[in-house]
Amino acid sequence: SASMQFIFFVNILRILFPTFIIFCIFFNQHSFATGLQKSILPVPRPIFFESFKPKLFETILNEKKLEADIGFILYDIEDSKILEAINPSKQYPLASITKLVTALYAMEILGSGHVFTTTIEAIGEESGGILDGNLILRGGSDPTLSNDDLVILVDNLWDNGLRKVGGKFIVDSSDAIYHGEIDSDQPEYLSYNPSISGLNLNFNRVLFEWETVNGLYSFKFQARSAINNFDVSTTDVNFSKSKHKFKDNNYNGKNDTWFFDHSFLEKAKKRWLPVRNPDNYAAELFWIIADKKGIELPKPEIRHYPNKGKVLAKAESEPLFNNIQLMLKYSNNLLSEIVGLSATKKFSGDKKEIKASANIMGSWLENKIGNYQGNFSDHSGLGVGSMMSSHELIRFLKNPEWHASTINLMQNFKIKKTQSSTLKSYTNFIKAKTGTLNYVSNTAGYIETKSGRKLLFVILGSNLEQRNRLNKRDRDNPPEAKIWNKKIRLLQLDLIESWALRYN
């Protein structure tokens, strides 16, 4: 009967199954032990073997369901050969990878110990605490100047006996050419697209906070630094009925004026706003701090004042190398533009606008790595006009002059994927610099495997068609771009994992 046949079949399985298990264990131990003896690549235990197999790039791309144009290179440093490459000669937007070039450009031209200096100078004679002449606040393009530095400058003036200025208080920011913003394609209200000047305070931004009391809005604008915070009046806000959340207006007047609608205020309670008139901003804050200290100053005049005076006080930045580390760690755009512009000023002997300075940096790079088809439109990568190919970037990164410097300057690669055991098992370290814009995501850096193999990699990815569809006002962290960028970051991690395993 059918039931008897079923029972017979079950009994046969009960007899044969243990034998089958023993045979599988013996076979697996024998085959994988042999594999370990023959291969320099550590072979994972059998149960995990399938999940650790290196994936082909096409498989990874299809799994992510990602519409992206991607170019990459994996390069063996010791053997001086390319191990893998896709679209190696195609040009891609660099985004913040640009900052690596800017870093080495600035350190070579200015020197790693270069400091930026802000001075307080006096023209005239001082007697009884009164300066019979002019006091000059002269900017030296310090990208890290803060309220705390201004407080120290004022304290030094007080300690030296100054109580009143009988002439004029002049603010001179002519050390660098003024730029109202870095990239005109970005929304005007983004704090990471600040103005640039020879006098930059608190990264040229203010904290805008608001609250409602009985249905009425209360606004507050504050200049923030590590220790000393001050309310400022150089920023105005008005309501707008237009669809634009913010709109720039009156950049060259007394104040920055921003317009926004009620719907925006319902989404948050504060945000950083860029300062578009950095001279007014720094002048007001210095005047406020001096007044609080008891030093009487006339209202500031903002203009170029070529005559050098006696230096009464000065504030110096950290050495350039420290600022470069800060620039790369936080991917700070103002720092990048200032150090790039300052290097070009020394290199060419004259001040330049951002685009002209970036072109000079490109010429400098070409002298280092040979002919290339890339382009630089700025020093920070905020604009999509800064472009290079993965092959050109590999030639840049493998330059023996910079090899040690770039490794030291890069951050440890952040592993955000939950299944990161491959990188932990097969690498000693991964150092990388990333670059991200809407529909642009790049990673470049170094891999040292457990076996000591040293690899360079560059992964460049973008979808410029999707990016170009974004209206300017919609480029403030659009949801669709966030999803795209998250997918491509996971793809980059998959590629790096497969390389770590395959080339260990």
Side-chain angles (χ1 to χ4, degrees), residues 65 78 89 91 111 143 205 264 290 298 300 332 338 351 354 393 449:
K65 297 179 180 178
E78 292 180 355
S89 299
Q91 300 290 311
R205 64 180 189 172
F264 173 79
N332 187 277
I338 287 296
K351 296 179 290 186
I354 287 176
L393 270 172
T449 67

Side-chain angles (χ1 to χ4, degrees), residues 354-377:
I354 287 176
K355 190 171 183 178
S357 175
N359 285 333
I360 291 172
M361 183 173 76
S363 298
W364 168 85
L365 178 64
E366 189 166 24
N367 287 332
K368 295 290 184 179
I369 69 171
N371 183 52
Y372 84 114
Q373 303 301 314
N375 177 69
F376 292 100
S377 61

Side-chain angles (χ1 to χ4, degrees), residues 296-328:
E296 185 179 340
L297 297 180
K299 294 297 182 181
E301 294 183 15
I302 298 168
R303 60 187 175 92
H304 175 47
Y305 195 87
N307 297 333
K308 302 289 185 179
K310 178 184 177 182
V311 176
L312 301 181
K314 65 180 180 180
E316 292 186 339
S317 72
E318 291 286 321
L320 181 65
F321 184 79
N322 295 7
N323 277 325
I324 292 292
Q325 288 181 311
L326 184 70
M327 175 186 94
L328 294 175

Side-chain angles (χ1 to χ4, degrees), residues 23-217:
F23 171 78
C24 288
I25 293 172
F26 172 79
F27 176 80
N28 284 339
Q29 287 177 342
H30 175 76
S31 61
F32 283 107
T34 304
L36 280 170
Q37 293 170 3
K38 292 181 178 179
S39 174
I40 62 169
L41 180 67
V43 180
R45 296 185 63 83
I47 193 169
F48 300 118
F49 185 74
E50 187 65 30
S51 65
F52 276 96
K53 279 184 179 178
K55 298 177 181 178
L56 294 175
F57 172 69
E58 292 79 5
T59 304
I60 295 172
L61 189 61
N62 291 333
E63 283 181 356
K64 297 292 180 289
K65 297 179 180 178
L66 182 68
E67 293 183 8
D69 184 5
I70 294 174
F72 67 73
I73 287 185
L74 181 68
Y75 180 84
D76 188 302
I77 296 174
E78 292 180 355
D79 291 343
S80 300
K81 67 178 182 180
I82 294 174
L83 301 175
E84 292 187 22
I86 285 180
N87 297 325
S89 299
K90 188 167 184 176
Q91 300 290 311
Y92 292 88
L94 285 177
S96 286
I97 300 289
T98 305
K99 293 180 174 71
L100 280 176
V101 180
T102 302
L104 298 179
Y105 174 61
M107 286 201 296
E108 178 170 303
I109 304 302
L110 296 173
S112 60
H114 174 81
V115 296
F116 297 92
T117 305
T118 305
T119 58
I120 304 295
E121 302 169 14
I123 304 288
E125 297 298 324
E126 182 185 347
S127 177
I130 299 174
L131 174 63
D132 184 18
N134 300 332
L135 190 74
I136 301 105
L137 167 59
R138 193 182 302 280
S141 296
D142 184 354
T144 58
L145 188 69
S146 70
N147 295 335
D148 301 336
D149 295 312
L150 297 189
V151 169
I152 292 172
L153 288 173
V154 169
D155 286 345
N156 287 340
L157 293 179
W158 178 268
D159 292 342
N160 289 330
L162 183 66
R163 299 295 181 267
K164 182 178 180 179
V165 173
K168 297 177 179 180
F169 172 40
I170 298 169
V171 177
D172 186 347
S173 65
S174 61
D175 188 65
I177 295 174
Y178 168 77
H179 295 77
E181 57 193 350
I182 297 172
D183 180 43
S184 60
D185 287 336
Q186 302 286 341
E188 298 89 349
Y189 61 89
L190 297 178
S191 62
Y192 57 75
N193 185 26
S195 60
I196 302 293
S197 161
L199 190 58
N200 307 284
L201 186 66
N202 304 322
F203 298 103
N204 285 345
R205 64 180 189 172
V206 293
L207 185 63
F208 171 37
E209 299 178 281
W210 60 90
E211 61 181 355
T212 56
V213 180
N214 298 324
L216 298 175
Y217 284 99

Side-chain angles (χ1 to χ4, degrees), residues 206-210 219-224 230-238 256 258 260 271 273:
V206 293
L207 185 63
F208 171 37
E209 299 178 281
W210 60 90
F219 299 146
K220 182 179 181 180
F221 303 93
Q222 198 167 63
R224 292 285 185 98
F230 299 97
D231 292 339
V232 293
S233 65
T234 52
T235 298
D236 292 333
V237 167
N238 288 308
D256 295 335
W258 303 97
F260 55 89
R271 77 173 295 151
L273 288 176

